[in-house]
Amino acid sequence: MGVQFNHPWLLLLLLPLAALMLYAFKSDYRLSGARKIGAATVRSAVILLLVLAISGLQSYTVLEQKKVVYVVDRSASMPEAGPAEDWVQKSAASKKEADAVGVVSSTLQGSYEQKLLNLLPDPFRLNAAGKPEFTNLESGLMLAGNLLGGSGDSRIVLISDGKENVGSMLAAGRMLKDRGIPVDVLPSPSRKLQDVSVEEVTVPSKLYQAESFSIEVLVRSTYKGRGELRLYEDSREIGRETVDIRAGENRFAVKAFAKQTGLHRYRAEMFMDGDGQSANNAGYAFTRVDGPPKVLIVEGKKGTSGNIAAALQSGLVKYDILPSPALLPTELAKYAAYDSIIFNDVSGDQVGERRMEMIEQAVKSYGIGFMMVGGEDSFGMGGYFKTPIERALPVSMELEGKRQIPSLGLILVIDRSGSMSGDKMEMAKEAAVRTVEMLRSKDTVGVLAFDTNNWWVVPPMTLNDKKQEVIDEIQSIQSDGGTDIYPAAASAVEEMLKIQAQRKHIILMTDGQSAGNGGYGPLLDQMNDAKITMSTVAVGSDADVNLLQTLADGAKGRFYMAFDETTIPAIFSREAAMISKSYIVDKPFVPALQDPGDWRTLFEDGVPQIYGYVATTAKPAAQTVLTSPEPDPLLARWQYGSGRTVAWTSDMMGKWSKDWVSWPAFSNVLTQMVKWTFPQFAASPYDVKTQVEGNKVRFEVSSASGTGPEQLQAIVTGDELEPVATELVQESPGTYSGEMTVEQPGSFLLSLEDGSGQNVAMPTGLIVPYSPEYRIETGDAERELQRLADMTGGRVLSWDRPEELFAAPPRPSRQLHDLRYALLAAALMLWVADVAVRRLALPWGRIGASLAAALRRRPQPAGGAEAPDAGLSRLAARKQRAAAFYGGGERPAPPPEPAQPQARAGQREAGAERPASEARPAAQSQSGARGREGAGRLRRGRANRRRPKRSRRRTSGPRRWTACWPRASVTRVSCAPPEGIAAAS
């Protein structure tokens, strides 16, 4: 135990301060005696404490303790954790009782396994979760350094193979060296396996249609053999070769042909016998093929797009036709191969929520056009209410208040069994919520959840203004239990019979087999008699498809097979729209021209008649070109983000538009509508280069013109459909750079936006290959570990001798205790005492007498009862103190005066001769008079202190008195009556 000072030279301040205190003691005449000595002593102590505080006085304790933190590399390149766990436990077993150990796991980020403790759990296991796809030893070392704090005999033990791919352990080592923390290293061997990897795929960044080119593939292997190299364009295989592989680098070039325009992704895969790791067997590359634009036509029903295809062909616009929405791509990058997408009478339940989100992102962020063509399965009839497709379209599916719609009674019967947990249940609740949002206030809705029992989540009720209450109740549904369909269906029918509505419909959804086999025949007859329809939805392949199909057919409803649970909301929305039958307007009319803009020349000679369409509502920012008499939009368009979308609410198969498809100008009109949706830039004015380092992607963007906007952003969107914006810094006119972090490999779409959010370049592709953790390393990682140990003063430990870690004796160290706050607190308390000594004058004599009297007090008599005269004594003492307070009572006799008035002497004599029976009342009366006179003097004294200082005499009747004015230095004033005035007066 000892003390030390951070700034000992400040102690020199005590010399001049001591001289100053001595001078102040000798020159201070306001105090004297013991008070002066006490005040000087207290003030000197205050000054001493302050000087000690500013000089940094600290106490310390000498410690002989080692603090060790293990940093264990948990990345994918490391072998199993068992050997590292055993080594840590064996080395910690050789430590002394006072030593402390902690453990940190390191992957992409460091994480605590155990903070500094004197013991490790037995058995010791590494449990912290992380991302083993990356090795960030810098993060683990810095976390261990924070745990140690740099105090005592501290050190870090790094157990790793040294193959870092994020951060720099040498940078962390330099910081630890400055803090005096050495790093010992325990080199670990990497996983030993035969491995072949595709390191790089290279294609030209820009091609022209019908141009031949080479795809270059770099393959690295740890062993020799024969393998098969396969090449893909998007999802189509374009080549397959058998190649000989040797250990080390292997380069191959494969000829290819640019057939189709647009942005294409190329994939190279390597297959080889004996390969022990498949995560690194594929590589990717992007290229853009310039040429005529191309359109993707998606058919709701196969063979219904002949009129659209013929029109585009006559306008020299290339196209591809998908005969089913189920064939739509599930990767965002594949939509970039087209300039526009057309939905021809496509139902939303065939598309799914995820594909809708991809199409919306392709339009909004990457400028790809979109057009929806009407029909009985399109727009509101297709279940697009509240979907991403509706957000992209210039029209809304909401028809509230537009026309007289029959009242609707709807009951949703939802399976809540245990098998519906997770995404199924969430999608079912989302579907119910969207359905309720579509209904009007006069409609009746009920929600019945069932497992083996029934539970009315929302009893059938008229909505009115209770939509939000119903939605909140729907969100409370939880999955549990088994499945029994018949009781639920029977309960729904029973309640539906009580509902007064023009149309009554039930939607039944389940994903399992019913436990009971009720008699559905009578139930279906009852529904048909009451004109109640029912549609059924089978979720997944485990549902009772035969039963649900039979129920839908028997109740004159529709059966839906939902393999993808994301289609459930569209199914429910479509059912609600189809039951109301209000979306289809089936009557002939001639469209009216409203706001054609630059399309005016297309319709200047008039337009043909239309026989039907699907009712929608134009959005406020949309441009309505043609309208119906309702008025509903027939043709509308708008700008959505970077792309453009068009809505044609009638069909193009000839059912409602037979005059249009036979109209001579039809091909030109449709072609112009589609071309209007094409991206608005023919070529990219920017050259974009990307470089991937670990989990970082660096962007380098340069403008061909040498100029550019002040603000530029790189928008990167992957298959998760969450755009990530990265601000690009302008390094020079027209040159930008930036960096973003990615945690998952894959293919991404990249676009550029200026400060106003406008897309300023054609979208391009970005490839983040598999994690560098799976690369075949060629460097000497163990040498880097040796450099780290040498830099920090650490050691290279051995797997065979774990006891060496704690073999050296601990280095003594000081544990400091800061005393500044304690010194300041003591100085503050002494300062208060200093003020009290100097400013507060107390009657020390009276206090001493009271204490002496208390010590001389007689003890109580035995038995616990007080003596009879004890109470009277206390009463007399209290009366004496009260009389003294008010100016009466017994007081110490004043000094003898030269001459006493005769009247006062005569009064005393008379009082002495008075009988005892009369003396007491007289004494009491005299005491009261003295009390009143004392109170008066007190009030007059207070008033006089507020008046100017002067002395005066005043006579009033028979009484006379002299006002005595106290001096400032006198604390108590006692004035005697003037000579010659009787005491009685």
Side-chain angles (χ1 to χ4, degrees), residues 9-23 47 51:
W9 56 270
L10 289 176
L11 295 175
L12 297 175
L13 292 174
L14 292 175
L15 298 177
L17 290 175
L20 179 63
M21 287 302 301
L22 181 62
Y23 172 77
I47 293 175
V51 172

Side-chain angles (χ1 to χ4, degrees), residues 375-502:
E376 293 182 347
D377 294 331
S378 188
F379 293 101
M381 298 298 294
Y384 288 100
F385 179 74
K386 293 279 186 176
T387 62
I389 291 293
E390 185 194 35
R391 291 198 296 266
L393 287 172
V395 295
S396 170
M397 314 306 159
E398 181 64 54
L399 301 179
E400 180 71 27
K402 295 194 64 173
R403 53 180 53 80
Q404 185 65 30
I405 301 175
S407 60
L408 175 63
L410 180 64
I411 293 180
L412 308 177
V413 183
I414 300 175
D415 183 359
R416 65 175 291 267
S417 60
S419 59
M420 285 287 295
S421 62
D423 291 341
K424 290 181 182 180
M425 194 72 256
E426 293 304 316
M427 288 295 103
K429 291 192 287 187
E430 177 66 21
V433 168
R434 287 191 194 176
T435 303
V436 171
E437 289 177 342
M438 286 185 66
L439 300 178
R440 299 158 301 156
S441 59
K442 68 178 182 179
D443 292 334
T444 302
V445 66
V447 181
L448 176 64
F450 72 94
D451 41 40
T452 52
N453 299 308
N454 303 329
W455 166 42
W456 279 101
V457 181
V458 179
M461 59 185 295
T462 304
L463 277 177
N464 294 326
D465 57 350
K466 301 177 182 178
K467 273 190 180 182
Q468 189 57 47
E469 296 180 16
V470 174
I471 291 173
D472 292 341
E473 292 295 332
I474 291 172
Q475 296 290 359
S476 68
I477 301 176
Q478 301 296 327
S479 58
D480 192 18
T483 305
D484 195 355
I485 297 175
Y486 180 80
S491 180
V493 172
E494 181 181 355
E495 291 297 323
M496 184 65 80
L497 292 172
K498 304 175 185 178
I499 296 175
Q500 299 296 323
Q502 294 170 291

Side-chain angles (χ1 to χ4, degrees), residues 666-709:
F666 171 72
S667 296
N668 183 46
V669 170
L670 178 59
T671 302
Q672 293 302 319
M673 290 162 57
V674 175
K675 286 183 177 180
W676 184 84
T677 66
F678 288 167
Q680 301 306 299
F681 25 78
S684 178
Y686 295 92
D687 179 28
V688 182
K689 295 180 180 179
T690 59
Q691 184 177 1
V692 181
E693 298 176 355
N695 66 334
K696 302 286 186 181
V697 177
R698 179 169 179 80
F699 303 98
E700 294 182 359
V701 180
S702 58
S703 172
S705 61
T707 60

